[in-house]
Amino acid sequence: MSSVFQRQDMYDSVVVDREQDVVLTTGQLYVFQVRRELDRSFKPVIPFAPHLFGSGKTRFVKSYLELVKSMGERALIGPENISDCEKDRRRSFLDKLHEAVLLYVDLTELKPTDPKEKSLKWSVYYLIIKTACLQVGIPRMRKTEAYEIVEMEALNLVTLLRDILNMRTDQFLLVAFDEVGVLDESDGEFDFERTQDGKVFPYNDFVGIIRGLCKEDNVFFIVVGKSEGLNIHNYAISVSRVELTFIPLSPLEKHSIIEHLEKSSSSMFTGSPKVSQILCHQHFSTNELAELLLELTGGVPGLLVKAINYLLHCKLSQDHLLLSKESFWMIMNDSIATNYCVDPLLPRLSSLSKTRQRLLKMLTLLALYRIRFELDELVHLSSTCAVFLFDLVTDMCFYRRLIVDENHQERYEVLIPKLLIRYIEQSVKNDRLEWLLLQTLKSQPVEFFYESKCRVFEGLVATMFYLHFCYHPTDSLMFSILGQLSPVWNEMNVKFSSESTAYYMKSIHYTRSTSEVERTTFGINDWKEIVEEMLEFEKIYIPFEPTSRSPDILFKLHGRTSGQNLIVGIACKGRWSFNGIRWNEIVDEARKFLQPVHDQVVTVHPTLHCMLIIMSTKLSTSVATDLNHSSHCYSCGDRVAGVFTIPLNCELIILSESDVENFIGKDILSSLRSAFKSTDNPHSRSIGISTVQEMVLSLSKNI
């Protein structure tokens, strides 16, 4: 790759949307100070960010004190009701924090150091001393001289640091350790403490060193870097008696990317204009660029900055370049651009072990359906081995997004940026299910977000139908049932000739925007356009929003021999409590799909048929009884519940609970029912990793 693409300085990037991280970090440092003042046997509190490349951890710690100053009192005094005395105490702490000195220590420079080469403690001490000397621009102190002064005592080290940095004794010193993950590779270099069975835990030794320093007045610490964060967190509490508090550093959202583009500038261009002024123009807004960058990078700061750097390089070398949605993807889909953006992750992405490949489908499902997980959820690799999902996400080169619901309960989502998918595909070339899941994830537009608890069910049904169309059209029990119920289904070609993916289409609503801006939905009178122009053969579609005036899944089949075609809609009705779907709900689904499609499309295309399939996890007692607990097909002229007549060339199929259970899988439905029955709030859902693993196993059986 040309060296020009290694440049990181095409523009001066501004840190944005880190207010919550600043508030959390400042609050923990304050708690640390209060504990230290009250009790010398206190448990230290250390903000900790165990994240992957690109999460913004290095930029955050380096700019933390500046961010604190820019936020003012909001960094520590929020809307909560506290006494005036406590407010004064917090203001005093903030005043001292504004005068603090930050010492950034890069642990990649850590190495055995004379005269105690095997001592991790001395190596860390000397690295801090050397860093302080470099920070103020003086020659670094000789190792033997430093050792004689410090004598391995925390007080002596802090006193020396204050002397080097020209600090008062009452002035705050904030030491930020970066790249803590290097300790994973340090076994053999240092004499670590060993357990009775001979195991070593380098992070315990490291945290123990920090704990000793925490006893000294007015010294604080932040630790960041890729590592097994939750494992370290748990060991630190139980063994090192230190409380590590996670700094979320979640990916940026669109409004934050817009702010970043509008505040960051580039001196590479005349007059140092803002990035938004360089890359955007009258026909390509900052909002559009932010959406594209979000879709490409997932809002991961490191990937975002690299993408912007590359775009600025292209603009600098091609002054006439005018970005558009098409040219953006043309530029960023080029292998030179993608290799540049994900370069730090390439070795890991291109060498996924068999164990990690097996876990990949589970993580892709979590990302695809936005399934949230708890901090302490375990993934069992075998009967004797388990890892924390929190740590596994980092190990697999993916990212986490912290979600806090209205009850202040914290959960996480897996984020797989589209930039990474091409490289993951190369590691799983022969895994057709993983390919399908990744392609579906890649096709998700930036607007799409699973907000309903039933979207998991819909996505599962869509994937199952796709797998049956591709791999099991002749021996599919579901297709056999549909064929027995509907003669029209039997006339259709149910074998997809090529593999594709699920597609997301604009939703259908009562009204449709008539403004000049791009329309984001179809109107309920647009079914002719949808059927003729939107729906293609051998593709499965899912509307963006679960509340649209259409079925949850749509696809179009063509006849094997005749000119007949069939439009199929599937209404996925996840019912997880005792209340099953009622007749009035079934009629409502039929009216909003069968009637308008008949009136707008079928009447002008006599060879076109329309079918609605009701797939519900539970039917009401009256519906199940009326159908004799069997699947049933209502054809043209049949009355449904005595209030709705099936139009010409249309059919309504209601599947029995047992047929739905056989299609999806009894264990999966049982797990979904157990997960969802206790809450109606989709943002509080926690399906559980065992359920996701069951879903992967069930889907894999259909390949």
Side-chain angles (χ1 to χ4, degrees):
M1 187 187 303
S2 173
S3 60
V4 70
F5 299 131
Q6 298 298 333
R7 296 189 62 165
Q8 302 292 318
D9 58 351
M10 290 296 296
Y11 75 110
D12 300 318
S13 61
V14 174
V15 178
V16 297
D17 195 27
R18 288 295 178 233
E19 286 81 3
Q20 290 184 341
D21 301 298
V22 170
V23 169
L24 184 147
T25 302
T26 309
Q28 295 306 312
L29 296 178
Y30 176 69
V31 169
F32 174 21
Q33 180 75 336
V34 170
R35 288 183 182 180
R36 183 162 50 192
E37 291 174 349
L38 293 177
D39 182 6
R40 300 307 294 180
S41 62
F42 69 102
K43 179 184 287 188
V45 181
I46 300 175
F48 181 39
H51 301 293
L52 190 59
F53 156 81
S55 58
K57 53 190 181 296
T58 299
R59 286 295 308 274
F60 175 75
V61 295
K62 284 185 173 181
S63 58
Y64 167 69
L65 291 180
E66 295 176 20
L67 293 172
V68 170
K69 290 177 183 178
S70 66
M71 286 187 65
E73 290 190 353
R74 292 184 296 117
L76 189 58
I77 303 174
E80 67 271 20
N81 187 20
I82 57 176
S83 66
D84 291 339
C85 180
E86 177 62 17
K87 285 183 179 179
D88 290 340
R89 194 171 176 178
R90 295 190 181 194
R91 289 190 182 102
S92 176
F93 180 84
L94 280 175
D95 288 341
K96 297 190 71 174
L97 197 58
H98 291 165
E99 296 181 341
V101 172
L102 173 69
L103 185 62
Y104 172 80
V105 182
D106 184 354
L107 287 173
T108 59
E109 300 293 324
L110 182 69
K111 53 189 174 185
T113 307
D114 292 335
K116 301 269 291 183
E117 285 195 353
K118 286 290 186 177
S119 169
L120 177 66
K121 181 177 179 179
W122 171 241
S123 295
V124 171
Y125 274 22
Y126 184 70
L127 178 59
I128 297 174
I129 296 169
K130 182 174 69 173
T131 302
C133 292
L134 291 172
Q135 182 161 307
V136 295
I138 63 174
R140 64 184 181 187
M141 187 175 290
R142 289 183 294 109
K143 299 169 187 175
T144 52
E145 180 188 0
Y147 185 77
E148 290 172 357
I149 293 174
V150 173
E151 295 181 326
M152 300 288 280
E153 293 293 333
L155 175 59
N156 293 343
L157 173 64
V158 173
T159 302
L160 177 60
L161 290 174
R162 290 190 180 281
D163 183 49
I164 294 172
L165 297 170
N166 194 26
M167 295 177 61
R168 305 187 312 271
T169 55
D170 66 339
Q171 195 172 358
F172 285 178
L173 172 61
L174 177 59
V175 181
F177 289 105
D178 197 359
E179 301 295 349
V180 68
V182 299
L183 293 172
D184 289 327
E185 314 298 329
S186 59
D187 190 15
E189 294 184 348
F190 302 104
D191 288 331
F192 295 116
E193 291 187 17
R194 293 186 177 273
T195 60
Q196 292 182 346
D197 56 359
K199 293 181 179 179
V200 297
F201 296 93
Y203 292 103
N204 287 353
D205 295 56
F206 177 72
V207 173
I209 294 167
I210 297 178
R211 186 178 188 279
L213 292 168
C214 286
K215 296 178 182 179
E216 305 306 318
D217 291 337
N218 299 323
V219 182
F220 303 84
F221 298 90
I222 299 176
V223 178
V224 303
K226 178 188 175 299
S227 59
E228 292 185 350
L230 191 52
N231 240 347
I232 299 169
H233 171 273
N234 293 344
Y235 273 113
I237 289 178
S238 60
V239 179
S240 304
R241 291 176 296 156
V242 171
E243 186 177 325
L244 298 178
T245 304
F246 291 124
I247 309 173
L249 296 179
S250 289
L252 304 179
E253 297 181 11
K254 188 176 79 170
H255 67 88
S256 301
I257 297 176
I258 291 174
E259 182 184 359
H260 179 78
L261 293 169
E262 291 178 341
K263 289 186 175 180
S264 301
S265 59
S266 175
S267 59
M268 304 294 290
F269 295 80
T270 304
S272 298
K274 303 301 183 185
V275 172
S276 58
Q277 296 172 325
I278 299 169
L279 297 177
C280 302
H281 49 84
Q282 182 180 359
H283 304 293
F284 185 66
S285 67
T286 307
N287 183 74
E288 290 175 286
L289 177 58
E291 281 195 354
L292 293 171
L293 287 167
L294 177 60
E295 187 167 348
L296 178 73
T297 67
V300 175
L303 299 178
L304 176 71
V305 168
K306 282 207 156 197
I308 294 173
N309 263 312
Y310 192 83
L311 289 171
L312 289 172
H313 163 76
C314 293
K315 180 65 176 176
L316 192 64
S317 58
Q318 305 173 50
D319 185 55
H320 64 280
L321 173 66
L322 287 178
L323 274 183
S324 63
K325 184 174 182 179
E326 293 72 24
S327 63
F328 174 91
W329 287 116
M330 187 178 300
I331 292 170
M332 296 311 301
N333 281 333
D334 185 275
S335 59
I336 296 178
T338 55
N339 286 345
Y340 163 71
C341 290
V342 305
D343 182 60
L345 306 177
L346 279 178
R348 191 77 167 171
L349 289 170
S350 59
S351 59
L352 290 175
S353 66
K354 289 186 177 180
T355 300
R356 299 216 307 271
Q357 285 184 28
R358 287 198 299 269
L359 297 170
L360 188 57
K361 286 189 283 288
M362 179 192 71
L363 291 176
T364 308
L365 272 180
L366 290 172
L368 183 60
Y369 298 149
R370 304 295 196 274
I371 298 172
R372 294 168 189 173
F373 64 91
E374 309 283 354
L375 175 66
D376 58 353
E377 286 204 55
L378 286 168
V379 177
H380 293 277
L381 305 180
S382 66
S383 58
T384 58
C385 179
V387 296
F388 288 111
L389 179 55
F390 184 92
D391 292 339
L392 179 63
V393 172
T394 302
D395 184 59
M396 295 286 284
C397 290
F398 300 150
Y399 297 87
R400 294 178 297 267
R401 189 197 306 272
L402 175 65
I403 305 295
V404 183
D405 64 21
E406 66 273 14
N407 298 318
H408 306 291
Q409 187 167 6
E410 296 183 352
R411 289 191 175 91
Y412 294 87
E413 289 180 349
V414 177
L415 173 66
I416 304 179
K418 291 187 179 182
L419 259 174
L420 305 185
I421 291 179
R422 170 191 296 188
Y423 302 94
I424 301 170
E425 289 172 344
Q426 295 172 3
S427 297
V428 291
K429 291 179 180 177
N430 298 321
D431 191 327
R432 305 318 299 165
L433 176 58
E434 179 59 33
W435 179 88
L436 167 66
L437 297 176
L438 287 172
Q439 292 302 308
T440 304
L441 185 61
K442 189 160 66 174
S443 72
Q444 277 191 10
V446 70
E447 305 98 324
F448 189 80
F449 198 88
Y450 285 100
E451 292 187 347
S452 167
K453 63 184 179 183
C454 298
R455 297 300 275 190
V456 176
F457 180 52
E458 295 160 15
L460 186 59
V461 170
T463 305
M464 294 285 279
F465 262 88
Y466 169 82
L467 294 176
H468 283 234
F469 281 130
C470 284
Y471 302 107
H472 302 284
T474 58
D475 58 358
S476 165
L477 178 60
M478 175 55 66
F479 288 5
S480 175
I481 292 170
L482 293 174
Q484 294 171 20
L485 295 171
S486 167
V488 177
W489 181 274
N490 276 330
E491 297 297 319
M492 295 298 114
N493 180 10
V494 293
K495 168 64 177 175
F496 281 9
S497 58
S498 62
E499 295 176 315
S500 63
T501 178
Y503 290 81
Y504 299 96
M505 59 178 283
K506 293 183 289 185
S507 302
I508 295 91
H509 289 286
Y510 279 112
T511 59
R512 181 177 176 181
S513 173
T514 56
S515 66
E516 294 182 359
V517 299
E518 183 180 352
R519 293 165 174 169
T520 57
T521 68
F522 289 111
I524 58 173
N525 295 319
D526 295 331
W527 279 105
K528 188 174 185 294
E529 178 185 349
I530 295 168
V531 172
E532 294 180 354
E533 301 176 19
M534 179 70 206
L535 302 182
E536 297 181 26
F537 291 113
E538 300 188 357
K539 291 183 179 179
I540 291 178
Y541 297 84
I542 301 176
F544 286 172
E545 302 172 26
T547 56
S548 63
R549 293 292 297 178
S550 71
D552 304 298
I553 299 168
L554 287 164
F555 52 87
K556 183 163 65 174
L557 302 176
H558 55 76
R560 288 195 299 270
T561 56
S562 66
Q564 289 186 338
N565 295 325
L566 178 64
I567 304 299
V568 181
I570 303 177
C572 299
K573 296 297 178 183
R575 292 295 185 269
W576 313 112
S577 61
F578 294 108
N579 300 318
I581 186 171
R582 301 182 300 274
W583 277 118
N584 64 311
E585 295 174 274
I586 294 173
V587 169
D588 183 57
E589 291 292 331
R591 278 179 172 152
K592 76 180 185 183
F593 178 60
L594 294 180
Q595 196 65 60
V597 173
H598 168 268
D599 295 345
Q600 299 170 39
V601 188
V602 174
T603 52
V604 294
H605 293 286
T607 60
L608 187 68
H609 289 252
C610 183
M611 173 186 292
L612 175 64
I613 301 172
I614 303 291
M615 183 172 285
S616 177
T617 56
K618 187 171 184 59
L619 303 175
S620 68
T621 302
S622 61
V623 173
T625 301
D626 290 348
L627 300 180
N628 197 27
H629 300 280
S630 301
S631 296
H632 188 78
C633 177
Y634 290 87
S635 301
C636 170
D638 292 343
R639 297 275 288 174
V640 182
V643 295
F644 178 73
T645 302
I646 303 295
L648 181 67
N649 287 354
C650 294
E651 292 178 329
L652 169 66
I653 291 179
I654 305 173
L655 295 173
S656 67
E657 292 177 24
S658 60
D659 285 340
V660 173
E661 184 178 276
N662 289 333
F663 182 61
I664 300 298
K666 182 177 181 180
D667 291 339
I668 293 177
L669 284 183
S670 177
S671 297
L672 291 176
R673 189 173 290 112
S674 177
F676 288 143
K677 69 180 180 181
S678 60
T679 178
D680 289 325
N681 184 355
H683 296 291
S684 304
R685 67 187 187 279
S686 180
I687 293 176
I689 298 307
S690 59
T691 302
V692 180
Q693 290 176 315
E694 281 282 350
M695 291 165 63
V696 169
L697 184 62
S698 177
L699 292 171
S700 298
K701 291 177 180 177
N702 288 280
I703 294 290

